[in-house]
Amino acid sequence: MAAEGGSSDQFIDIAKLSSPAKFPPAFPQDLKAVAEAPSLKRRRSGSDTWVVSVFVIIHVGVFIATMLVNDCWTNSNGDCALKTLGRFSFQPLSENPLLGPSQSKLEEMGALRRNFVTEYHQTWRLFTSPFLHAGLFHLLLNLSSIIFIGIHLERELGQLRIGIIYAMSAFGGALMASLFLQNTPAVASSGALYGLLGTLLSELLWNWKLQTKRVSAIVSFVFVFVFNFILGFLPYVDNFASIGGFVSGFLLGSVLLLRRKLELPKVPIKGTLCDYGVKSYIKLKLKQNMDRPALRIVSLILFSLLLGGCLVAVLHGININSYCTWCPYVDCISYTSWHCKDRETSCETMVSDDQMTMTCMGNGKFRVFPFTNITRARISDLCNLIC
């Protein structure tokens, strides 16, 4: 007999026996039927990983479209990073340290911002912001983490469940981010990644005794979690989306992925079918049949309350930053090129000959630009940069 471990769905290959197998009278009938079936092959759940692949392709496509719309070479009068890329060049690092588009173009593509969501009720941004990235660095780190974690989960647990978890975690992350928005655009693409991390943690906790690679799983989880969360302190990346996605993924993982099918241990054959003991089989069988239904129900109720509560709060224009003074620092670390305080910016613009002088009304700083033909949206970008 040959058996393979490490997968939640498995069958047993039965080699040709020199003599008919004899079963003890108390041997479980369902296992006996499996053993008597000739040459059954192991069936892997989710051998293809097309769901994660489709989401990755969508993310890459949206980022390319964002950079096309951004067109730094034209809209920013050539004041760009990596100018050799032409239309695909990035905004200056002082404006976007992640090598990405400008604020106004992120907003145009569907990023979250407080007045758009709470005042203008543009709820469609809840569905577009999870597919946006703040820059090339953010895109590469986020997608590499999604591929690393998502393909593993999809192979182990199947396409349908991972697809549901990915989509709902992305939406839950966008909802959570909408409760902490400021007057700068924010993308919520990290919500789906942290939903996968929450699912991975759920799988580790509820099936701890059945795990075969605990240390590597924990190390991978901590590394991806911490590294991506640190990235969230940079401009335009929202850590509250990560928190919302993580909680959503953990609860959905408890609902959808709690059951692990019975895994038979590898045992040698000594003339009969198995020598591993009926008691171990019965213990595992009972654990599988019980399947923690109470935990499933509680997790489903908590997820429904979280999703429904956040949605109602967003629709009513509630912003938790008004009641929590330290919350912005969960999502931001002040630096010379940006700040974490939420404040309105206004600038005075003076045009003379081929120059434009812009002065921030809040701090008195000014800057002279060698051009005048720029859009109103670009003026707002430059004003935020000066202030």
Side-chain angles (χ1 to χ4, degrees):
M1 178 179 70
E4 297 184 22
S7 175
S8 57
D9 295 328
Q10 70 174 1
F11 293 86
I12 302 175
D13 287 341
I14 306 299
K16 294 183 179 179
L17 302 176
S18 57
S19 59
K22 297 180 180 180
F23 303 96
F27 203 82
Q29 296 298 318
D30 54 349
L31 183 59
K32 188 190 299 183
V34 171
E36 290 173 344
S39 187
L40 290 175
K41 295 183 178 180
R42 178 187 177 194
R43 183 180 62 191
R44 286 189 177 184
S45 174
S47 57
D48 297 326
T49 56
W50 61 267
V51 171
V52 172
S53 301
V54 166
F55 282 119
V56 168
I57 292 172
I58 293 174
H59 282 298
V60 173
V62 171
F63 184 74
I64 293 174
T66 302
M67 296 311 301
L68 278 172
V69 172
N70 185 66
D71 192 6
C72 179
W73 187 258
T74 301
N75 295 324
S76 299
N77 296 86
D79 183 18
C80 310
L82 298 178
K83 298 180 181 180
T84 54
L85 296 177
R87 182 164 186 168
F88 288 96
S89 56
F90 307 102
Q91 298 301 128
L93 291 179
S94 59
E95 184 176 351
N96 189 334
L98 293 170
L99 285 181
S102 63
Q103 288 191 21
S104 58
K105 296 307 176 183
L106 279 174
E107 294 169 1
E108 187 177 332
M109 293 298 293
L112 297 169
R113 188 168 177 171
R114 188 175 66 186
N115 59 337
F116 291 154
V117 176
T118 59
E119 296 178 18
Y120 306 137
H121 302 291
Q122 296 178 357
T123 53
W124 55 270
R125 293 180 180 272
L126 297 173
F127 302 96
T128 56
S129 59
F131 293 99
L132 293 174
H133 287 82
L136 183 63
F137 292 150
H138 184 211
L139 176 77
L140 294 178
L141 180 61
N142 188 264
L143 292 191
S144 60
S145 301
I146 286 176
I147 292 171
F148 179 67
I149 300 294
I151 286 181
H152 163 73
L153 288 175
E154 189 173 350
R155 283 176 175 170
E156 289 291 321
L157 306 165
Q159 294 93 350
L160 178 60
R161 287 180 287 183
I162 290 301
I164 293 174
I165 289 171
Y166 190 100
M168 296 305 295
S169 297
F171 183 64
L175 280 176
M176 182 68 73
S178 298
L179 298 177
F180 297 88
L181 293 176
Q182 298 192 23
N183 286 315
T184 54
V187 297
S189 53
S190 59
L193 167 62
Y194 276 82
L196 297 178
L197 287 172
T199 300
L200 180 62
L201 180 61
S202 175
E203 172 72 3
L204 286 173
L205 288 180
W206 306 134
N207 296 297
W208 179 255
K209 293 183 179 180
L210 302 178
Q211 300 295 331
T212 58
K213 299 180 179 179
R214 300 173 184 174
V215 176
S216 61
I218 293 174
V219 170
S220 300
F221 170 83
V222 172
F223 178 79
V224 175
F225 187 101
V226 172
F227 206 73
N228 280 274
F229 202 83
I230 291 174
L231 186 70
F233 290 109
L234 295 177
Y236 316 132
V237 184
D238 199 297
N239 270 339
F240 289 106
S242 303
I243 296 172
F246 181 77
V247 175
S248 299
F250 182 82
L251 294 175
L252 285 173
S254 301
V255 174
L256 298 175
L257 308 178
L258 194 58
R259 174 176 291 229
R260 287 285 302 266
K261 291 191 177 180
L262 181 64
E263 296 185 4
L264 304 179
K266 296 180 179 180
V267 293
I269 296 180
K270 296 183 179 178
T272 61
L273 180 67
C274 297
D275 274 348
Y276 71 90
V278 177
K279 289 185 179 180
S280 299
Y281 171 83
I282 294 175
K283 184 184 293 186
L284 286 172
K285 191 68 177 176
L286 288 174
K287 185 177 181 180
Q288 176 188 3
N289 289 338
M290 290 175 65
D291 198 29
R292 303 186 185 96
L295 182 58
R296 284 180 180 270
I297 295 173
V298 170
S299 299
L300 181 60
I301 292 174
L302 289 177
F303 175 73
S304 301
L305 291 175
L306 174 69
L307 204 67
C310 288
L311 184 59
V312 170
V314 170
L315 293 177
H316 282 77
I318 295 176
N319 191 284
I320 298 180
N321 285 331
S322 303
Y323 313 96
C324 177
T325 56
W326 56 266
C327 284
Y329 296 97
V330 177
D331 189 42
C332 176
I333 294 180
S334 296
Y335 188 62
T336 56
S337 299
W338 64 85
H339 56 82
C340 300
K341 295 181 180 179
D342 190 20
R343 58 191 182 193
E344 296 287 345
T345 59
S346 60
C347 294
E348 182 182 34
T349 303
M350 296 181 61
V351 178
S352 61
D353 298 331
D354 294 330
Q355 291 184 340
M356 180 181 66
T357 302
M358 185 175 293
T359 305
C360 179
M361 302 301 292
N363 54 26
K365 293 182 180 180
F366 69 93
R367 184 174 173 184
V368 179
F369 300 95
F371 48 78
T372 58
N373 56 332
I374 60 175
T375 62
R376 184 178 297 274
R378 185 59 188 157
I379 290 176
S380 177
D381 292 337
L382 295 176
C383 181
N384 289 326
L385 186 62
I386 296 172
C387 294

